[in-house]
Amino acid sequence: MLLYHAVMDDPPAWIAEFTVGPAEFAAQLDAVVASGRTPIRIGALSDHLAGRGAPLPPRPVVLTFDDGFADLPGPTAEALALRGLPATAYLTTGAITPGLRSLLPPAPMMTLAQAPLLEQYGMEVGGHTVTHAQLDTLGARRLRYELRHSKAVLEDTLGHQVRHLAYPHGYSSRVVRRAARAAGYESAVAVRHALSSETDEVYRIARLILRRGHTAADVQAWMDGAGARVAPYPDSLPTVGWRLYRRARAAVRGPRFAG
């Protein structure tokens, strides 16, 4: 499963490390097509991991896009549609709704009104919270708000249920995963920098994050099942330590963007 953010030539500095230029993006999509893998939306994968729905096609791959940058309902969606590639977009409602705010620094963003356009291009739309907070640092009330309000806003806009969630920064915990299920999400994706698998966790599905230094050759290797570890796997000690540090920092300073 691949995780993209912005696709643009001149991104703001804060998101530049996680931005792919349009030409390189096209080459990476061509590598996906050439790999012979079958692109699917997150709904098909999550149904399979949860033991419901049809069997997966041979060698599936899921393309995901986080936050809702301005390129998404335009050239990025067009590049996907041109190649017949379905995808899943996870939208941060506070960042794309006029008059609302999020923890994301300034950047060109799509608007909430454009969310139905993504579905017209063949994308599935999921939630990415209201403010892009680190969910595993929040109290119970704020956590419920981030999960439920963003879901409700997207459902009102799209006119149907929103079933899937992406954790901001990929951060979660057992408490967060239980809250995601209680809020009505049927799956949630993390980051984990790993290949997903048949035994992955439906509320912590692994993704491989695309950075500006990645090339079509990296994508080709991932499509071949190489170049990354395979989820699920236990959290490492550095991961646990980083989580404890972030929670302590949030207790002192309040919610903040992790970048």
Side-chain angles (χ1 to χ4, degrees), residues 51-110:
R52 57 179 182 264
L56 291 178
R59 306 182 69 236
V61 61
V62 182
L63 305 178
T64 68
F65 297 80
D66 280 10
D67 300 330
F69 290 93
D71 61 273
L72 186 57
T76 295
E78 291 166 5
L80 292 163
L82 179 65
R83 295 163 175 81
L85 296 173
T88 301
Y90 295 103
L91 304 181
T92 305
T93 54
I96 65 174
T97 305
L100 295 185
R101 300 176 63 184
S102 77
L103 297 173
L104 294 175
M109 305 299 290
M110 63 176 281

Side-chain angles (χ1 to χ4, degrees), residues 41-206:
R41 299 175 186 85
I42 191 62
L45 176 60
S46 66
D47 284 348
H48 176 76
L49 292 176
R52 57 179 182 264
L56 291 178
R59 306 182 69 236
V61 61
V62 182
L63 305 178
T64 68
F65 297 80
D66 280 10
D67 300 330
F69 290 93
D71 61 273
L72 186 57
T76 295
E78 291 166 5
L80 292 163
L82 179 65
R83 295 163 175 81
L85 296 173
T88 301
Y90 295 103
L91 304 181
T92 305
T93 54
I96 65 174
T97 305
L100 295 185
R101 300 176 63 184
S102 77
L103 297 173
L104 294 175
M109 305 299 290
M110 63 176 281
T111 66
L112 180 63
Q114 291 176 304
L117 180 59
L118 298 178
E119 294 190 330
Q120 294 176 28
Y121 274 111
M123 289 190 185
E124 188 170 24
V125 174
H128 199 38
T129 75
V130 178
T131 70
H132 206 276
Q134 301 173 60
L135 297 181
D136 60 341
T137 68
L138 302 181
R141 179 180 296 181
R142 178 67 185 274
L143 176 60
R144 285 194 299 270
Y145 167 77
E146 291 282 353
L147 295 174
R148 295 172 184 265
H149 188 270
S150 58
K151 187 175 190 291
V153 167
L154 290 172
E155 289 176 343
D156 287 346
T157 301
L158 298 170
H160 61 74
Q161 183 183 10
V162 169
R163 301 168 53 206
H164 309 291
L165 170 71
Y167 303 120
H169 308 289
Y171 297 150
S172 72
S173 65
R174 288 189 181 92
V175 170
V176 171
R177 294 190 285 275
R178 286 196 297 268
R181 182 191 294 269
Y185 294 102
E186 297 177 10
S187 80
V189 293
V191 179
R192 313 215 78 193
H193 310 293
L195 296 160
S196 187
S197 73
E198 290 273 349
T199 59
D200 209 349
E201 304 166 75
V202 71
Y203 284 94
R204 190 166 58 159
I205 303 172

